[in-house]
Amino acid sequence: MKIIHKIGIIGTGNVGSYLHSVFVAHGFAAKLFGRKLNPQTLEEVYQNPSEHDLILLCVNDEAIAEVSSQIEPSNTIVAHVSGATPLSAIAKKHTNRGVFYPLMSLKGHSEIDASTIPFCLEANNETTLDALKKVIDSMGAKWNLVNSEERTHLHLAAVLAHNFSNHLHYQAQEVMNNAGLDFRILLPLLENALQSLQHTSAKDMQTGPAIRHDESTINRHLGLLQDKTTIDIYKLLTKSIQDTYDKKL
């Protein structure tokens, strides 16, 4: 079985920096590479990949294919961390290719316990897959086998559930701030919703003026909003909710 100990991480953004700190904390010989750090050492990684057991591409999705093509072929595992990019984006000249996708928003959250992160794995052969599993096991985290097509759907769901809802949280903060109210008043409501999702479907949890077709309340809300985009979002989500349930209560 292939054992991973030396890990080269290409990319100094949120994911790369976080994984570097986690790997080091768990005893791996991990090094971080990027053009902003030292272009010369990055070129050395490209030319001598065998110095590492795993090269992890923590770069923008659009750069994965280009960066992997610059790395000389070897038996070193070359893997990316993208949720939306297929395994096939990694140049096929690499014998061992994989995906090492942490399903977590890591911006400004270096204190997140790695054992709480679900990792989604994919590889082009069993030896590579087993080696990546061992890395996850050593961190006390859980791994999930998710192929490229499934991961695309997973990533879409994550964008809807997390990225889009976070933008709505921002919109709610703006409303509260403009009214001189503390956004933290809403936190118990939000926390309860997340807890309820543990045992209840989101569809069954829906409440509010849209599902009730409470037009007077909806119009009052729209009257309070001034930003056209926010108004459009409110109207579109209201229509989506009403179309989903398709009846007046």
Side-chain angles (χ1 to χ4, degrees):
M1 178 183 293
K2 187 175 181 64
I3 302 298
I4 294 175
H5 177 62
K6 295 180 291 183
I7 303 175
I9 301 171
I10 298 178
T12 57
N14 294 313
V15 178
S17 298
Y18 174 79
L19 290 177
H20 174 258
S21 64
V22 168
F23 289 146
V24 170
H26 285 84
F28 292 93
K31 294 183 179 179
L32 196 60
F33 300 93
R35 297 203 178 278
K36 292 182 179 179
L37 288 178
N38 191 327
Q40 183 175 354
T41 58
L42 181 57
E43 292 299 328
E44 291 174 1
V45 176
Y46 291 159
Q47 298 301 319
N48 301 291
S50 296
E51 295 295 317
H52 307 277
D53 303 312
L54 166 65
I55 294 178
L56 209 53
L57 308 182
C58 298
V59 297
N60 292 335
D61 293 358
E62 294 79 8
I64 290 172
E66 178 186 353
V67 173
S68 69
S69 69
Q70 295 185 55
I71 302 171
E72 290 297 318
S74 70
N75 288 324
T76 295
I77 297 173
V78 178
H80 71 65
V81 299
S82 170
T85 307
L87 174 63
S88 60
I90 299 175
K92 289 183 171 55
K93 65 181 177 178
H94 301 295
T95 305
N96 301 303
R97 305 182 298 277
V99 177
F100 192 89
Y101 170 49
L103 183 54
M104 185 64 66
S105 177
L106 298 174
K107 184 175 183 179
H109 291 291
S110 59
E111 74 279 2
I112 289 178
D113 184 346
S115 67
T116 66
I117 299 176
F119 285 84
C120 301
L121 301 180
E122 184 181 7
N124 69 317
N125 59 61
E126 288 299 321
T127 301
T128 298
L129 186 60
D130 288 342
L132 295 177
K133 288 178 182 177
K134 288 295 183 183
V135 173
I136 303 299
D137 290 342
S138 71
M139 299 190 297
K142 300 294 184 182
W143 47 262
N144 305 270
L145 301 183
V146 183
N147 64 37
S148 291
E149 182 178 358
E150 292 169 335
R151 195 172 59 257
T152 300
H153 288 85
L154 174 63
H155 190 260
L156 169 59
V159 168
L160 290 170
H162 180 266
N163 300 132
F164 286 178
S165 67
N166 184 71
H167 185 66
L168 291 177
H169 294 158
Y170 158 73
Q171 299 284 0
Q173 286 177 332
E174 289 293 287
V175 169
M176 296 290 277
N177 290 339
N178 290 338
L181 298 169
D182 188 344
F183 176 78
R184 289 174 294 182
I185 297 173
L186 294 176
L187 293 182
L189 172 68
L190 300 178
E191 291 167 355
N192 180 68
L194 289 176
Q195 288 296 321
S196 296
L197 284 172
Q198 301 277 352
H199 50 76
T200 307
S201 75
K203 186 174 183 180
D204 289 341
M205 287 169 52
Q206 189 67 54
T207 61
I211 194 174
R212 297 193 302 267
H213 284 261
D214 188 347
E215 299 301 329
S216 60
T217 297
I218 290 170
N219 289 329
R220 278 199 298 273
H221 287 171
L222 291 172
L224 292 173
L225 297 172
Q226 298 181 0
D227 178 70
K228 182 181 183 304
T229 300
T230 307
I231 291 172
D232 290 342
I233 290 172
Y234 188 105
K235 288 180 177 179
L236 184 61
L237 288 176
T238 295
K239 183 178 186 303
S240 180
I241 291 170
Q242 292 175 345
D243 288 348
T244 297
Y245 297 90
D246 197 31
K247 66 179 181 179
K248 294 184 178 181
L249 298 181

